């Protein structure tokens, strides 16, 4: 059976991030993609100019409609928009704890626009982190969740990932792309210990939606039945290849998108 993966996230009309990136990723990884929308954004490769939040009751209605009819193999949560939506999502998913959740704490857009107010951060920590099979923050997001300085070395990454796991998620993948240097190491922390997923920095401006894409790829691989470590490794390779192939696209004049279908398009 082909796995059915649900994204609960915001929309990016330029197609590089949000549910558009999630659905492309699900398809590229050989799964069937679905989406419950939390917010409409007005954005492009240069930044976000507006956000229209979906009423929390309708977010609930979307999620309920999916689960009433479809067998869901895994869930990816992205932009939650506000505290009410965070609580609503948690209320829905508590009825489906058997479905693994990959939570990407989308807090700030690539162009610097804040996408999550402070009370929503607290709601995310209280209600959604305990439901997550995997939390996938970047270094600034990890620092914001912990109210600490942004990690600048691997030892601090280990300490912060372990602290984040103490907030409730079963595992944490802390993304190291904000570190200085040629390397982009990600750190996977589970109950069994930690594992480094190594990678080299790719020189390109086309990194719009990489966080959405990585978390979605992991959700797809988990939904297909891969163990978490293998799923994270597969997803990291996929995203690196998508970034490396991104210059084949000509989308916008800012941070362009990754090439989600690099393995299929000539």
């Amino acid at each position: 059976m082909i796995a059915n993966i649900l994204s609960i996230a915001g929309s990016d009309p330029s197609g590089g991030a949000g549910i558009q990136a999630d659905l492309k990723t699900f398809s590229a990884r050989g799964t069937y993609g679905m989406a419950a929308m939390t917010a409409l954004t007005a954005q492009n490769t240069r930044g976000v100019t507006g956000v229209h939040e979906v009423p929390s009751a309708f977010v609930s209605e979307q999620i309920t409609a999916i689960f009433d009819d479809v067998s869901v193999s895994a869930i990816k949560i992205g932009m939650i928009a506000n505290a009410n939506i965070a609580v609503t999502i948690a209320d829905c998913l508590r009825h489906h704890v058997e479905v693994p959740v990959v939570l990407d704490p989308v807090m700030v857009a690539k162009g610097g626009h804040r996408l999550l107010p402070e009370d929503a951060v607290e709601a995310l920590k209280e209600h959604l982190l305990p439901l997550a099979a995997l939390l996938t923050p970047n270094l600034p997001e990890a620092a914001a969740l912990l109210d600490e300085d942004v990690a600048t070395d691997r030892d601090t990454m280990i300490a912060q990932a372990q602290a984040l796991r103490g907030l409730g998620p079963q595992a944490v993948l802390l993304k190291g792309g904000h570190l200085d240097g040629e390397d982009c190491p990600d750190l996977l922390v589970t109950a069994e210990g930690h594992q480094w997923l190594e990678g080299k920095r790719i020189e390109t401006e086309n990194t719009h939606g990489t966080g959405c894409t990585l978390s979605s790829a992991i959700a797809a691989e988990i939904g297909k039945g891969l163990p978490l470590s293998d799923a994270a490794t597969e997803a990291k390779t996929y995203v690196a290849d998508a970034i490396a192939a991104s210059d084949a696209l000509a989308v916008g004049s800012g941070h362009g998108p990754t090439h989600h279908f690099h393995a299929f398009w000539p």
Side-chain angles (χ1 to χ4, degrees):
M1 295 293 293
I2 293 174
N4 301 318
I5 315 298
L6 172 63
S7 168
I8 304 172
S11 168
D12 171 12
S14 71
I19 61 170
Q20 287 84 347
D22 296 345
L23 292 173
K24 291 174 186 177
T25 302
F26 297 156
S27 296
R29 301 311 299 169
T31 63
Y32 181 80
M34 305 172 288
M37 195 177 301
T38 60
L40 302 173
T41 69
Q43 68 173 295
N44 53 32
T45 65
R46 293 178 296 185
V48 178
T49 57
V51 176
H52 180 72
E53 298 169 358
V54 175
S56 59
F58 193 70
V59 174
S60 175
E61 192 171 343
Q62 293 176 78
I63 298 170
T64 299
I66 294 297
F67 276 100
D68 280 350
D69 183 51
V70 182
S71 176
V72 180
S73 306
I75 300 165
K76 175 266 175 79
I77 300 175
M79 178 184 177
I80 60 171
N82 62 48
N84 286 338
I85 291 176
V87 173
T88 295
I89 293 170
D91 288 343
C92 290
L93 297 188
R94 286 192 187 98
H95 300 290
H96 307 284
V97 294
E98 74 284 357
V99 182
V101 173
V102 177
L103 174 59
D104 187 30
V106 178
M107 302 169 88
V108 180
K110 188 74 68 182
H113 186 96
R114 186 173 180 88
L115 298 174
L116 202 62
E118 193 60 41
D119 64 333
V121 175
E122 293 305 312
L124 181 149
K125 290 166 64 174
E126 180 179 352
H127 298 281
L128 289 176
L129 259 61
L131 298 177
L134 179 68
L135 177 71
T136 64
N138 60 30
L139 298 185
E141 289 163 347
L145 288 170
L146 295 169
D147 195 22
E148 296 181 4
D149 293 334
V150 177
T152 57
D153 56 63
R154 294 192 183 218
D155 287 343
T156 307
M157 284 182 65
I158 293 172
Q160 290 192 348
Q162 291 173 336
L164 286 170
R165 189 172 171 274
L167 296 179
Q170 296 173 36
V172 174
L173 181 69
L174 183 53
K175 299 173 290 190
H178 286 80
L179 291 180
D180 292 333
E182 297 180 354
D183 296 327
C184 286
D186 296 339
L187 174 66
L188 179 63
V189 172
T190 67
E192 287 72 41
H194 70 268
Q195 171 189 352
W196 288 102
L197 306 180
E198 302 292 348
K200 290 294 183 181
R201 191 175 306 279
I202 299 169
E203 293 301 327
T204 179
E205 290 294 313
N206 299 330
T207 56
H208 182 55
T210 50
C212 302
T213 300
L214 179 65
S215 56
S216 295
I218 295 172
E221 298 302 333
I222 291 174
K224 287 156 61 176
L226 278 187
L228 177 56
S229 176
D230 295 339
T233 300
E234 286 283 335
K236 185 174 176 68
T237 299
Y238 165 72
V239 172
D241 291 344
I243 295 172
S246 63
D247 287 343
L249 302 174
V251 182
S253 58
H255 293 286
T258 66
H259 191 346
H260 294 91
F261 296 111
H262 60 274
F264 304 97
W265 295 1

